[in-house]
Amino acid sequence: MTDPFLSDFLAPGVDADEVPELAALASARPLLDAFITLFRGTEAEVLMRLLVLREIGRQADAPRWSPEALRARFTYLEPVKLETVLKRLRDNALLTIGEDGHYALSDIGRNAVAAIAMLLRFGEDEDAELGFLTAQLAGLQAVGSLTPEALGHLLSKLNDLTWHFEEAIASGSEFRILDARRRLSANGRWLERGTDILNALLADPEVDFDIARIAQRIGLAQSRLARVDAAFQRALNKIESQRVTLGASGISSSDVAAWLRSLDANAVAGLVLDAFAAVPELPLLAGGHELLDRAEALLEGSSVTSDADAGLPPPDFAGTEIALQAEDLRLLEHFTHRLEALPAPQPLHHVVAGGGFAPASYRLSLLALLADGAGSGAQAGPEEGPVGSFMRLPVEVEFGDTLTAVGEDEIAAMTLGEVRPRTRPLEPVSAPSAPTADLALTAAAAAPRPPVV
């Protein structure tokens, strides 16, 4: 190691040969020089070198390329730039050129291309680092060259994942927990593959002690990750118990938060415009002279007394006659009048739809009660009032077992059914049973909106 620039990074009086950690890197200088050649320069230069090198390496049946074949293969590149890239790769031993003038990948160049291709193999939905490390361990185990250093990289990655998942749970954020849970699920196959590798290592009685020690620690880290999913579920259950539904709209606080997260910063700023003030808008009750007088008195050590009456105000009796808020049954009464004037059988979604998702859900629940009362032969509900009038309607409701697409009025799909005038009267029997209709009303994706009454 005679590189004069190394002395700039070492402490005074320390020679590079005295640092054993540099020995492994120094022995791999040819491979390191290959990667330096590939990744030195601008981003465009790096991309062009990787592009040319990978395309040359893909020709497995005939790995040797003539200059004419290369120019025909890379017709989309400027000829002078292509020659510059080929010369750079050839001068730095990534490409070799034979006596016949044909190009081919060198051993170092092929290893570099293979390493990059393996890293690019993993999808965006997976953890590329965990997949690469696991695949690397599987290959090293297959050729019998597994090292404690390679196992240590996997152990470090597993501990980093554990820390990330614990941070997500501690944050109490539903969205961070769901993202972390999806990440854990996407990496499930790599965790299973790592478990297979560990089982094979620990079953070998002649395995090296350092390898067995790190393998046991990896097993403990994987056990912690296996318990994380249950911790995710407990945290989500706790969040679910604190979820708030906005009136009768069917929209929860999580839906509002998800909608807000989908907006950009300018849209969110527009929502809070004029909603609050940056500073309290209160009149100034004391001038500069009054504040200065109080400050001087405090600095002199004298106490400032106040002549204001600090006693409690006299007791007062609150009114006991509070008018109870009347229940709003206008939607029920309007729906009753509609069903009374029903001329002929109509599909269920035509009768229920109107006014948005919340009123449609309310009408569907009323029809479920009406269908259950009619099916048991009872006229359920009170004898007087809007509810009793609705339950005595001469209407029959029939629900199917399938869904029908609606695609309008905030409704995506709905249970298939029919509402028709009753053909014969029903004889009343005992009290009605609980609703048993298995109904479904799916809301179409929409931004949160106030409930419609």
Side-chain angles (χ1 to χ4, degrees):
M1 287 181 287
T2 59
D3 192 341
F5 296 103
L6 286 177
S7 59
D8 297 338
F9 294 89
L10 299 176
V14 177
D15 190 76
D17 294 331
E18 300 175 356
V19 183
E21 289 80 3
L22 287 175
L25 298 176
S27 62
R29 285 298 290 269
L31 181 61
L32 297 180
D33 289 339
F35 281 101
I36 291 173
T37 301
L38 285 175
F39 295 102
R40 173 179 287 178
T42 64
E43 182 178 355
E45 292 173 342
V46 171
L47 288 177
M48 289 302 102
R49 292 177 202 140
L50 291 175
L51 171 67
V52 172
L53 201 64
R54 290 184 67 200
E55 290 301 315
I56 294 176
R58 284 181 179 177
Q59 192 70 21
D61 296 334
R64 298 179 62 79
W65 294 72
S66 66
E68 294 79 10
L70 285 175
R71 284 192 290 269
R73 178 65 184 83
F74 298 104
T75 55
Y76 51 85
L77 295 182
E78 203 275 328
V80 176
K81 297 295 183 181
L82 175 61
E83 293 297 332
T84 302
V85 171
L86 292 174
K87 184 178 184 302
R88 173 72 179 239
L89 297 176
R90 185 178 65 248
D91 293 345
N92 290 275
L94 289 168
L95 286 180
T96 61
I97 186 168
E99 296 180 356
D100 56 357
H102 287 198
Y103 287 88
L105 287 181
S106 66
D107 292 339
I108 293 178
R110 190 173 301 280
N111 290 337
V113 170
I116 295 172
M118 174 182 266
L119 193 56
L120 296 178
R121 156 70 180 79
F122 306 100
E124 295 180 356
D125 56 336
E126 300 174 334
D127 197 315
E129 184 180 0
L130 180 60
F132 176 76
L133 294 176
T134 307
Q136 185 184 47
L137 287 180
L140 293 175
Q141 184 190 28
V143 299
S145 57
L146 195 62
T147 62
E149 182 181 7
L151 283 174
H153 293 320
L154 179 60
L155 176 61
S156 176
K157 178 60 182 178
L158 294 177
N159 289 333
D160 181 72
L161 281 177
T162 303
W163 173 84
H164 174 77
F165 295 152
E166 290 175 350
E167 284 288 310
I169 295 174
S171 68
S173 170
E174 179 182 8
F175 302 100
R176 286 189 60 182
I177 294 174
L178 291 176
D179 290 340
R181 195 174 194 179
R182 282 191 292 267
R183 184 178 180 185
L184 177 63
S185 177
N187 291 287
R189 66 169 179 149
W190 298 121
L191 295 175
E192 294 176 0
R193 182 56 181 157
T195 302
D196 297 337
I197 296 174
L198 293 181
N199 291 336
L201 284 176
L202 298 177
D204 186 3
E206 298 181 359
V207 67
D208 184 75
F209 174 76
D210 291 335
I211 292 179
R213 177 176 56 84
I214 300 178
Q216 290 178 350
R217 294 169 62 186
I218 291 176
L220 293 176
Q222 289 184 333
S223 299
R224 289 195 297 269
L225 287 175
R227 297 191 297 267
V228 165
D229 190 65
F232 284 152
Q233 189 59 49
R234 288 193 298 270
L236 291 175
N237 291 341
K238 184 178 180 181
I239 295 174
E240 180 67 25
S241 64
Q242 300 172 353
R243 197 188 310 275
V244 177
T245 302
L246 306 182
S249 63
I251 299 173
S252 67
S253 54
S254 296
D255 298 328
V256 176
W259 176 68
L260 289 174
R261 285 166 60 92
S262 66
L263 303 178
D264 56 17
N266 293 330
V268 175
L271 292 176
V272 299
L273 189 63
D274 297 331
F276 62 93
V279 295
E281 298 178 354
L282 298 176
L284 185 61
L285 303 180
H289 296 290
E290 290 80 1
L291 295 177
L292 183 60
D293 293 340
R294 293 181 61 86
E296 290 178 351
L298 292 175
L299 289 175
E300 293 174 358
S302 60
S303 60
V304 180
T305 59
S306 175
D307 298 333
D309 185 8
L312 294 176
D316 193 7
F317 296 97
T320 56
E321 297 182 357
I322 300 177
L324 297 177
Q325 182 178 2
E327 185 178 4
D328 192 353
L329 299 176
R330 289 176 295 175
L331 187 59
L332 172 61
E333 294 173 351
H334 182 268
F335 192 42
T336 302
H337 296 327
R338 281 183 54 191
L339 294 181
E340 286 177 344
L342 191 66
Q346 293 188 18
L348 182 63
H349 59 277
H350 288 172
V351 178
V352 168
F357 180 77
S361 301
Y362 179 65
R363 298 189 192 100
L364 186 63
S365 62
L366 291 176
L367 290 178
L369 292 174
L370 190 60
D372 184 76
S376 62
Q379 301 299 322
E383 296 182 358
E384 302 297 336
V387 178
S389 300
F390 178 81
M391 297 304 295
R392 289 190 296 271
L393 285 173
V395 173
E396 294 180 355
V397 184
E398 181 179 352
F399 295 101
D401 298 330
T402 59
L403 292 177
T404 180
V406 178
E408 61 182 7
D409 200 28
E410 301 181 358
I411 303 174
M414 184 177 171
T415 301
L416 187 64
E418 186 181 58
V419 181
R420 54 182 176 268
R422 184 175 300 159
T423 57
R424 57 184 179 85
L426 295 177
E427 298 180 0
V429 292
S430 58
S433 59
T436 57
D438 185 9
L439 308 181
L441 182 64
T442 306
R449 52 172 290 178
V452 180
V453 179

